[in-house]
Amino acid sequence: MMAVMLSALMSSLTSIFNSASTVFTLDVWKRVRKNAKQRELMIVARVFVLVLATIGILWIPVMMSQGGGQLMEYIWAITSYLAAPITALFLCAIFFPRANEQGSFWGLITGMVIGLTRMVLSFVYPSPPCWEEDTRPSWLTVLHHSYFSMALFFFCVIVIIIVSLLTDPLPDYKTKGTTFFTRNEIYQGEDEEKEDSIVIENVMSKRHPDDSNTGKSYSMELKEVNGNKADHIYADVDTDTSQSTWKRAFGWICGMTGSSNDTEGNAKMTEEDIRKLRATDTKSIWKYILNFNVLVLIGLEIGIIVYFR
């Protein structure tokens, strides 16, 4: 039982730390350091994970002071305060194609501000143990955190829908393959199309007018284009093998031991390979089995929550 509990705890913590470090590195650090290389981003992500782990350890006394020292009560309360805006944003992004950046931003920010305000109030007025009288203000105890989460969820959905309808919609290419209703359409960003056309045009413009007699096929030219793009993408990868021992050890700890040959080979993918990776219209029977199991698990979780709450 201890092994199962520790495994579940480790998997949850690693997923949270990796997701948080990715968000910080790509959405925050790259805005501060726009020309940061892959090595720097990797180091920043690792350091941010250490900072999160330290904050988590220092937060343990605060957890023990909430909910009468009951860990599950604390987890349910914090989840109710913070998960509703994220869930509303996620569902609107999938099932509401008209949602845009402005609606998502204001819906998430508004919900987070309300949820954090309620969370701070719960810290200021902690719930007493069962054998003590509840002297908290009535406006804080009249609404349980589960009902508060439900009300906050619908409020965030309304904000996202209203703000999205009052602002400009997203371009069509940004909704292809990213929502439930456009899941079978292949996404290709505007920048990708421009980059492909510019690279191909540059390669073609360097050809001599008499190159048509050399017998070079169009497929060979496309391979050269892919090679040029891969060289450009992985130009900042440090492949120097004459580093000192401690630098190589540091790179091994940070997961930066790969060579540019491996990454370049992975970068060359045909259009058919990309289509297979992005395909979501599988006809296998396992698709229906997976969907059935998801519904069963959701029903069981709802039943357990209702029964024990």
Side-chain angles (χ1 to χ4, degrees), residues 214-234:
T214 59
K216 184 181 292 186
S217 63
Y218 180 72
S219 61
M220 295 175 62
E221 294 170 355
L222 288 182
K223 290 181 180 180
E224 292 181 359
V225 172
N226 291 333
N228 294 334
K229 290 175 64 178
D231 294 339
H232 173 71
I233 294 173
Y234 298 100

Side-chain angles (χ1 to χ4, degrees), residues 190-256:
E190 186 179 15
D191 295 336
E192 296 179 3
E193 296 178 355
K194 291 182 179 179
E195 182 182 358
D196 293 341
S197 60
I198 292 174
V199 174
I200 294 175
E201 182 180 356
N202 292 337
V203 173
M204 297 304 179
S205 63
K206 293 180 181 179
R207 294 178 57 191
H208 192 272
D210 296 334
D211 282 349
S212 58
N213 299 326
T214 59
K216 184 181 292 186
S217 63
Y218 180 72
S219 61
M220 295 175 62
E221 294 170 355
L222 288 182
K223 290 181 180 180
E224 292 181 359
V225 172
N226 291 333
N228 294 334
K229 290 175 64 178
D231 294 339
H232 173 71
I233 294 173
Y234 298 100
D236 63 340
V237 178
D238 190 2
T239 58
D240 186 12
T241 57
S242 60
Q243 295 179 345
S244 60
T245 304
W246 72 270
K247 284 187 176 182
R248 289 199 300 269
F250 182 78
W252 179 79
I253 294 174
C254 293
M256 297 179 292

Side-chain angles (χ1 to χ4, degrees), residues 84-105:
I86 301 175
T87 306
L89 174 60
F90 181 77
L91 293 179
C92 287
I94 295 178
F95 296 105
F96 184 57
R98 185 59 176 79
N100 56 14
E101 297 177 357
Q102 292 82 1
S104 302
F105 174 80

Side-chain angles (χ1 to χ4, degrees), residues 19 24 46 63-64 106 129 163 172 204 216 222 233 260 298:
S19 300
F24 175 80
R46 297 294 192 271
M63 295 172 54
M64 298 302 298
W106 288 110
V163 176
D172 293 336
M204 297 304 179
K216 184 181 292 186
L222 288 182
I233 294 173
S260 60
I298 293 176

Side-chain angles (χ1 to χ4, degrees), residues 123-288:
F123 291 157
V124 176
Y125 301 99
S127 58
C130 298
W131 57 87
E132 294 184 5
E133 182 182 359
D134 193 352
T135 59
R136 294 179 296 172
S138 58
W139 50 266
L140 184 61
T141 59
V142 68
L143 187 64
H144 192 265
H145 58 74
S146 298
Y147 299 109
F148 172 82
S149 178
M150 182 177 62
L152 182 61
F153 169 79
F154 288 109
F155 175 79
C156 294
V157 170
I158 294 174
V159 172
I160 293 174
I161 293 176
I162 293 177
V163 176
S164 297
L165 293 177
L166 294 177
T167 54
D168 297 332
L170 293 174
D172 293 336
Y173 74 90
K174 288 189 176 182
T175 60
K176 292 183 178 179
T178 57
T179 65
F180 177 80
F181 304 101
T182 61
R183 63 188 183 278
N184 295 325
E185 300 179 9
I186 297 179
Y187 169 80
Q188 185 176 12
E190 186 179 15
D191 295 336
E192 296 179 3
E193 296 178 355
K194 291 182 179 179
E195 182 182 358
D196 293 341
S197 60
I198 292 174
V199 174
I200 294 175
E201 182 180 356
N202 292 337
V203 173
M204 297 304 179
S205 63
K206 293 180 181 179
R207 294 178 57 191
H208 192 272
D210 296 334
D211 282 349
S212 58
N213 299 326
T214 59
K216 184 181 292 186
S217 63
Y218 180 72
S219 61
M220 295 175 62
E221 294 170 355
L222 288 182
K223 290 181 180 180
E224 292 181 359
V225 172
N226 291 333
N228 294 334
K229 290 175 64 178
D231 294 339
H232 173 71
I233 294 173
Y234 298 100
D236 63 340
V237 178
D238 190 2
T239 58
D240 186 12
T241 57
S242 60
Q243 295 179 345
S244 60
T245 304
W246 72 270
K247 284 187 176 182
R248 289 199 300 269
F250 182 78
W252 179 79
I253 294 174
C254 293
M256 297 179 292
T257 58
S259 62
S260 60
N261 295 330
D262 298 335
T263 53
E264 181 179 349
N266 294 331
K268 295 180 179 179
M269 299 179 63
T270 63
E271 183 178 354
E272 183 65 23
D273 295 334
I274 298 176
R275 186 181 298 274
K276 290 180 179 179
L277 288 175
R278 293 174 175 172
T280 57
D281 55 345
T282 177
K283 304 299 182 181
S284 175
I285 191 176
W286 293 106
K287 170 184 176 180
Y288 303 100

